[in-house]
Amino acid sequence: MVEGDAILLDGSTVHLRSLTAADRLAVVALFDSLSPESRRRRFFTALKTLEGPLLDRLLRVDHNDAIVIVAVRSGRIVGIGRANRELTSAGTASDRAEVAFTVADELHGHGIATLLLEALATRARLVDIAYFVAVTQSDNGAMLRVFRSAGYDALIHHDPLDPALMLISFSINEDDESRAARRNRERQAGRASLEPLLRPRSIAVIGVSETRLTPGRRVLQELVAHGYTGPVFPVHPHASSIESLPCFSSVAAIGQPIDLAIIAVPAPDVINVARRCAEAGVRGILVLSAGFAEVGVEGRTRQMELLTVVRDSGMRCIGPNCLGIVNTNDTVRMHAVFTELDLAPGPVALMSQSGAVAMAIASLAKQRGIGFSSLVSVGNKVDVSGNDLLEYWDQDEQTRVIALYLESFGNPRKFARLAREISRRKPIVAIKAARSDAGRKAASSHTGALAAPDATVDALFDQAGILRVEEPGELLDLCVALDRLPLPGGRRVAIVGNAGGLAILAADALTHGALTLAELAPETVATLRTLAPPNASASNPVDLTATTTSEQLADATRCLVADPGVDAVIVVHVQVVTDDDDDISQILSVLSAIVTKPIVVVFGGGRVGTVGTGGAVANESTLVAVPTAREAALLLGHMADRRRWLNSQEDDAPEIPPAGIARIRSIISAGLMTGANDGWLPITAAFEILNLAGIGVAGPVLATNGEEAAAIAAAIGFPVSVKAADPSLLHRSDVGAVRIGLRDEYNVLCAYEAIEHALGDAMGGALIQAMAPSGVEMILGISNDRHFGPLVLLGAGGRTAELWRDTALHLAPLGRNAARTMIESLRSHRLLTGFRGSEPADQTALIDALLRVAQVAAEFPEIVELDVNPLIVHTRGATAVDAKIRLAPNPAAGNDELRLLR
């Protein structure tokens, strides 16, 4: 089943879904609306009516043999794409399907056929169709362009039996060219869809009151006060003019095309107003009104009605329950907000889910002299989300840094995909609120328990190159630093200043950014001694004493910057004369001229937290000033993180052989059909999957009674372990269901009977395993979040895994460098390197196992939980000793690949 909304090239939207039997009349209506020429191109004849057997064939959907997807707008089918599987010469189903499209005449050239082609290909790949073929007239250039523009390597030639026809065939397997073509279309469509909202050529304000302090009146005042460059049309049912602008009784009465309608009416009236906007051809709406999903069941119902209106009409919508939009570009100058936000032009684009947080950030930015390219308060995100804005700002020349305040994700997988791509070009800084999730149901495996929601967000941000901060001030400082300063080459910091105590505090603060105190080269120390006053310290941190001049401070800083062992410099300064603002300005001006590495200035004594990002040097400065050394360390730490992320390159991971993939798929299919044990596979099946994936296992053998257990143990060879086999027993040691290190048949028999006595029928037999060689116990796992996708977990394993919670998370897929980083991030990493005389563990084998688990996670989304605990990492190799796998159907199969709006 395909279902979702997609953006067309003109920025409007359509709804894509599978054809149903109820669509018969709508299909006929589409045919009736087509011109004779369009009918000829689709059916190769000037067909006058669509009825009887032909209509029946067009409506037939035969599961895997006929895929039909329709594009819908305002309840009307405006496009149909069909793929019919062909038969081989032997009459069996082939891997080829013939495709054809029908699009409403007025929407030709909007990209509907291309979207239908992509959706058909996505669905076809799931049912083992590998090739599409098509037949079209030689003069049908539009259809030929559809296939070419999709990026597929299509073979096009004349039909030897009819030169008037063209035969087209191509593989639908995705490659770099087809993915690039799709991304280019997405970017073009995404920008076009937001132009009416962020760069509107005309604005209507609906809900303007004659009372001055109402939201509608305030937003009108802000538009006028900041000199919006387009026409503004107040809408009021009775007033003749407001704010010296003529009023109109309705949007339709304006009589001119409207890009953006700002709606500030009571919540119960919003739906009807939105409908009137759609009927008047408005391209986008900004809903300031509250009273939607944030207020309960009635509000959620109202919000869904608003979304239906927006999607049915093809409009885009920001809000509801939001503060508004600001675009400072001189060609726009749009302050469409109902409060005073005096934003200066600048390089930062801000999206905030909270209007109050947006106001707080804007107020702080004004104090610090930080400018914005645009600010968007998205509120409840009924339609436009952070994903849309990331796409837009990526292409906006005025925006150089993107800042986000997030409380939730609409489509985390799409967010991660977009952010990872865009972060390569523009830095993204984010505050993610709501770190805790007390209402989250406890997960039932070790991995599920350890993969907490906020840890998942951290993993997503780290993988996508997003820099996570905690406070608005930290967000603004980092945005300015990323815009002005070069990135550090590493994490080695030199500290210099005129206050020894503050310099020591700065050295202590380096831990906040995971930074280290740089070791200065001997020639650097020698030069510093010649530059500094007599009583100064030339070691790092460098204390120039209170008598130093701004020139001496600049010379010392220049010397530190030149040291190849220094990646960044923190300058600490206390004003000796507290009212000497010229001294601060001179220091900033002098230091700004020598920045080839990042320099952060800390002004002590509580002087101001704004100096350096405000004042006369705000726009020209090439350095950043912050109020405390802790903030300086955090800032430089984030910048070093960005350098590391930009330098990271994922290399190839080991792949599971095709035969292994097929066998694992069959195990999963059988497990889903059985549906026993709440989705938990038998442990023997879990071990078979690990073995097929290439992970070393200590394969268990199932015994159904004590005597059989003793015989199996003797055959395997002692020592052995005995474990209850029921897969629903997730923590066997907690209920006495495990015995290890058994060295003879009698002890195996006793162990079986003891576990049987404790558990009864819940035992499910016993698993007999040879004891693995000693080594470091680790845990590997998968937790497949239905929003974020599959997460791979690595941590310290064994019985105390949840006690120590020493873990690292990464979203699948995973590369070798990322796997190595996960291992090195653990506190228990030292155990792997050889701790207190122990032999080093085989980290290469651990990396290999981690990569193979990640491939299982990416390849089989039906695996919602996987636990390998412990994986014992030996001096050579690694062995999975215990494993659990839980399955669940994957209802979203294929839909994420449609790149839908949410």
Side-chain angles (χ1 to χ4, degrees), residues 536-562:
S537 167
S539 60
N540 194 14
V542 181
D543 177 15
L544 299 177
T545 75
T547 62
T548 191
T549 65
S550 58
E551 288 80 6
Q552 287 174 316
L553 182 60
D555 288 341
T557 304
R558 186 181 294 106
C559 179
L560 292 171
V561 167

Side-chain angles (χ1 to χ4, degrees), residues 865-885:
E865 287 186 74
L866 181 150
D867 238 20
V868 179
N869 184 33
L871 177 84
I872 301 180
V873 188
H874 319 296
T875 54
R876 289 188 178 181
T879 305
V881 174
D882 201 357
K884 305 177 185 70
I885 292 178

Side-chain angles (χ1 to χ4, degrees), residues 189-209:
R191 182 170 182 86
S193 76
L194 293 193
E195 284 284 316
L197 294 162
L198 272 73
R199 298 180 65 92
R201 294 166 297 183
S202 57
I203 297 176
V205 184
I206 306 169
V208 179
S209 170

Side-chain angles (χ1 to χ4, degrees), residues 839-853:
E839 288 287 328
D842 189 346
Q843 293 189 56
T844 300
L846 177 57
I847 290 172
D848 188 76
L850 185 54
L851 293 175
R852 292 180 184 277
V853 165

